[in-house]
Amino acid sequence: MLKRLKTRVWLTGLVIALGALLVWLGPGGPRPVDIDPDAQAQEPGHVLEDAEITLFGENGNVLQSLKTPHLIHTPQSGQTWSETPRAILYDSENRQWLANADIGTLNANTHALTLSGSARLIAPDEGWQLDTELLHYDGLNQHAWSDAPVLLQQPPQQMTASRMDVWLNDSQVRLTDNVRGIHPPATQR
């Protein structure tokens, strides 16, 4: 009987010692994992259907608005991705310029808009349109540009170039590199 008691005391002591060792080593649950800020910055914060975004300038005037059937916004980076965006860009005289493309990326912090895939910029007041595959727009300076080939049309006239710049406030377009145009003569009635 004494031998059995010694065995029980010894086993109880062993269980208590193992328990104390486990407590000393740390809690038995999962350990917290540090969040990777770079990975978190890429996580979307909002996914919206049939969305419209309006960006305002410092004095409260509308600088640009964007409508899209599908929008994904990542708040940590301020980036907004949009599918088939339709944008209205405003110049200093509050004239509207229309832009659209297959894909759009908007940085709400810098008001930078990038349109890719069949990008088009239309000046309704002047009656011309510009087509390219990649169009950049600086909303703070109302400056659009493309380093991809462009087609500028004001029927019946057409011009192509390797690069272009448009300053909305001045209604000025500059085509550079390999500029070619078709300018039919005016017909007399």
Side-chain angles (χ1 to χ4, degrees):
M1 174 123 165
L2 189 57
K3 192 172 181 175
R4 259 195 218 174
L5 185 60
K6 278 185 170 182
T7 304
R8 284 185 182 173
V9 169
W10 184 79
L11 283 175
T12 304
L14 181 63
V15 168
I16 291 173
L18 284 175
L21 179 65
L22 288 175
V23 168
W24 181 73
L25 289 176
R31 296 186 187 258
V33 176
D34 292 334
I35 296 173
D36 181 5
D38 292 333
Q40 186 180 27
Q42 301 303 317
E43 293 177 5
H46 310 286
V47 177
L48 302 171
E49 301 293 328
D50 297 321
E52 182 174 352
I53 297 174
T54 304
L55 298 178
F56 297 90
E58 290 179 4
N59 57 1
N61 59 331
V62 177
L63 293 180
Q64 56 185 300
S65 68
L66 182 93
K67 289 183 181 180
T68 179
H70 188 76
L71 176 139
I72 298 173
H73 179 68
T74 307
Q76 294 88 346
S77 65
Q79 293 289 325
T80 301
W81 176 90
S82 61
E83 179 180 289
T84 61
R86 292 184 330 249
I88 301 174
L89 313 174
Y90 295 88
D91 64 16
S92 59
E93 295 176 16
N94 212 29
R95 291 179 296 183
Q96 295 182 4
W97 300 68
L98 310 175
N100 58 59
D102 296 335
I103 303 291
T105 305
L106 175 65
N107 184 318
N109 300 328
T110 63
H111 293 238
L113 175 65
T114 303
L115 299 172
S116 58
S118 301
R120 176 172 285 169
L121 178 64
I122 300 172
D125 293 345
E126 285 81 12
W128 60 259
Q129 78 179 34
L130 187 135
D131 297 294
T132 185
E133 281 302 308
L134 184 63
L135 180 68
H136 301 278
Y137 179 67
D138 176 356
L140 297 176
N141 297 308
Q142 285 81 27
H143 173 230
W145 72 94
S146 179
D147 293 324
V150 297
L151 170 64
L152 176 64
Q153 302 178 72
Q154 187 174 26
Q157 302 175 24
Q158 291 185 4
M159 295 186 75
T160 59
S162 298
R163 175 176 163 48
M164 74 83 195
D165 288 279
V166 178
W167 291 270
L168 275 55
N169 291 338
D170 301 329
S171 294
Q172 182 182 3
V173 177
R174 180 177 65 199
L175 301 172
T176 53
D177 298 333
N178 201 23
V179 178
R180 302 202 189 289
I182 299 171
H183 303 279
T187 57
Q188 304 240 350
R189 293 185 187 211

